[in-house]
């Protein structure tokens, strides 16, 4: 069995690559290393450095290696930043996905696993259920919803089997804590290690359910072999909602001390967490690591890694209404 993991040098992808590495599996990782690291990739896997939207590269990869299963995890998942990087968002999250789906059809892939997002739900009442309509409120959610719809069409017309997961607020070792636009747990821990206050947009009463990385892997691993998962969509992740201000306090409990500051509110859904009845029915009950325990594990990893400098983000396309905190991270911003 040959398995291709896009984004396999990143957070979830690298954990999946390690879990799949065995004498019975040939694991290929396609990653442009824009948010992932070579050190995350298991030595037994083959790393191909490249862009998922590069059709020539993708077609050559499929022609050479003939993957049986594709896990498409590569994305730029900065949902809140996506209104300011529309072209960048759609190229990385939509065009790249279409390129991979084309190749999967043309080279007879047996199963295509796609990690979408609860961003497709928008601001509907919680808990989100898979039978709710798409109602995204930002370009990131729009891109994810479009790929979900495209996979349904690919299955209907071309017979491409798929499973879609909507993981949410996953955290743990291997997370890119240098990225200041996504992964709030990583952002908080990196700020704490640099002696900075933890920054919250708005009053911190936004609610999210946080998912420790090891708790979400089993359904991903099982999906290609499970008939009940074929051509279906599942919420995946934590079941207990927390306010962002309570998350920040829990991170400071790991750190020992520190401050919290509030930035002006930004455009985001206030309450976002999911129902998991469909997942539990198909895959069985899944574990949920208590938040303090998961944070302690990640903090131990993060302190061994050390604080990470946040590189400037050069892809901002719209500066109008860009949150002031994010503007300070783009010193060369020239658009108005």
């Amino acid at each position: 069995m040959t398995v291709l993991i896009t984004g396999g040098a990143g957070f979830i992808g690298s954990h999946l690559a390690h879990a799949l590495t065995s004498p019975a599996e040939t694991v290929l990782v396609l990653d442009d290393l824009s948010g992932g690291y070579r050190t995350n990739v298991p030595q037994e896997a083959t790393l191909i450095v490249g862009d998922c939207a590069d059709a020539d590269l993708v077609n050559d990869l499929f022609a050479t290696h003939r993957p049986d299963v594709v896990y498409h995890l590569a994305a730029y998942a900065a949902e809140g930043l996506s209104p300011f990087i529309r072209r960048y968002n759609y190229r990385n999250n939509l065009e790249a996905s279409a390129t991979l789906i084309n190749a999967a059809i043309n080279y007879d892939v047996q199963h295509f696993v796609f990690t979408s997002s609860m961003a497709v739900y928008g601001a509907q009442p919680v808990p989100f259920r898979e039978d709710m309509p798409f109602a995204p409120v930002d370009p990131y959610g729009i891109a994810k919803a479009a790929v979900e719809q495209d996979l349904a069409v690919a299955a209907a017309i071309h017979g491409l089997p798929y499973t879609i997961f909507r993981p949410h607020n996953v955290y743990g070792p291997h997370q890119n804590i240098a990225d200041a636009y996504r992964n709030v747990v990583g952002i908080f821990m990196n700020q704490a290690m640099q002696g900075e206050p933890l920054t919250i947009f708005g009053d911190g009463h936004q609610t999210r359910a946080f998912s420790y990385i090891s708790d979400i892997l089993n359904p991903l691993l099982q999906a290609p072999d499970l008939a009940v998962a074929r051509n279906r969509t599942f919420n995946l992740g934590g079941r207990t909602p927390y306010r962002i201000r309570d998350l920040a306090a829990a991170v400071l409990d790991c750190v020992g001390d520190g401050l919290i500051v509030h930035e002006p509110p930004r455009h985001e859904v206030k309450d976002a967490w999911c129902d998991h009845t469909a997942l539990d029915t198909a895959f069985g009950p899944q574990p949920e690591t208590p938040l303090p325990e998961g944070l302690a594990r990640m903090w131990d990893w993060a302190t061994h890694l050390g604080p990470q400098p946040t590189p400037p983000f050069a892809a901002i396309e719209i500066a109008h209404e860009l949150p002031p905190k994010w503007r300070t991270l783009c010193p060369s911003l020239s658009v108005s």
Side-chain angles (χ1 to χ4, degrees):
M1 182 71 72
T2 298
V3 178
L4 170 64
I5 306 172
T6 72
F11 175 37
I12 300 176
S14 64
H15 283 273
L16 190 62
H18 280 276
L20 283 166
T21 300
S22 74
E25 308 278 4
T26 298
V27 176
L28 311 172
V29 168
L30 175 60
D31 200 300
D32 66 2
L33 302 181
S34 61
Y37 302 93
R38 291 178 184 270
T39 52
N40 285 346
V41 180
Q43 292 184 350
E44 299 86 349
T46 299
L47 172 62
I48 298 136
V49 179
D51 184 349
C52 294
D54 183 337
D56 291 337
L57 171 69
V58 168
N59 286 327
D60 286 346
L61 187 158
F62 276 72
T64 300
H65 296 281
R66 298 280 177 165
D68 300 292
V69 174
V70 173
Y71 284 94
H72 180 31
L73 283 73
Y76 188 64
E79 181 182 358
L81 190 64
S82 66
F84 308 97
I85 54 168
R86 278 181 166 79
R87 292 180 65 251
Y88 187 90
N89 166 72
Y90 289 126
R91 186 179 190 280
N92 283 275
N93 298 329
L94 183 53
E95 183 182 342
S97 300
T99 302
L100 287 158
I101 293 170
N102 282 348
I105 294 167
N106 286 330
Y107 290 94
D108 297 318
V109 163
Q110 296 175 18
H111 205 89
F112 194 102
V113 180
F114 174 58
T115 50
S116 183
S117 168
M118 69 175 178
V120 302
Y121 295 114
Q124 298 183 76
V126 290
F128 300 148
R129 302 183 316 275
E130 293 88 346
D131 58 359
M132 287 178 167
F134 293 130
V137 299
D138 50 57
Y140 177 70
I142 291 169
K144 289 294 191 180
V147 177
E148 289 198 24
Q149 291 175 307
D150 191 75
L151 280 170
V153 172
I157 297 176
H158 306 288
L160 176 66
Y162 69 86
T163 304
I164 295 167
F165 290 100
R166 295 170 179 165
H168 38 273
N169 297 104
V170 187
Y171 70 99
H174 293 190
Q175 196 163 61
N176 183 349
I177 64 173
D179 192 321
Y181 304 103
R182 53 180 173 168
N183 308 324
V184 63
V185 175
I187 292 170
F188 282 169
M189 289 191 175
N190 202 33
Q191 289 175 330
M193 286 190 292
Q194 297 180 75
E196 300 176 357
L198 310 192
T199 56
I200 294 175
F201 290 98
D203 61 11
H205 285 270
Q206 310 94 310
T207 56
R208 302 291 187 270
F210 299 96
S211 317
Y212 191 70
I213 180 63
S214 61
D215 296 343
I216 71 162
L217 291 179
N218 281 337
L220 289 166
L221 294 167
Q222 295 168 11
D225 300 318
L226 203 61
V228 72
R230 184 184 177 104
N231 299 348
R232 290 189 61 193
T233 301
F234 301 96
N235 295 327
L236 178 63
R239 288 90 189 302
T240 306
Y242 292 87
R243 296 182 302 175
I244 296 299
R245 65 187 301 162
D246 295 331
L247 170 70
V251 170
L252 290 182
D253 285 341
C254 293
V255 175
D257 59 14
L259 299 174
I260 297 171
V261 298
H262 291 265
E263 295 285 331
R266 62 176 177 85
H267 175 76
E268 64 178 324
V269 173
K270 181 180 179 182
D271 298 304
W273 43 281
C274 294
D275 175 90
H276 298 87
T277 303
L279 184 84
D280 291 347
T281 301
F283 295 90
Q286 299 301 307
E288 183 174 14
T289 299
L291 184 63
E293 180 181 334
L295 291 177
R297 293 181 194 172
M298 183 172 173
W299 178 247
D300 182 65
W301 167 81
T303 52
H304 281 85
L305 180 68
Q308 300 296 300
T310 297
F313 188 77
I316 300 294
E317 300 157 14
I318 298 174
H320 180 63
E321 298 296 334
L322 185 70
K325 175 65 176 179
W326 289 350
R327 186 182 287 269
T328 64
L329 301 173
C330 308
S332 61
L333 193 64
S334 59
V335 295
S336 59

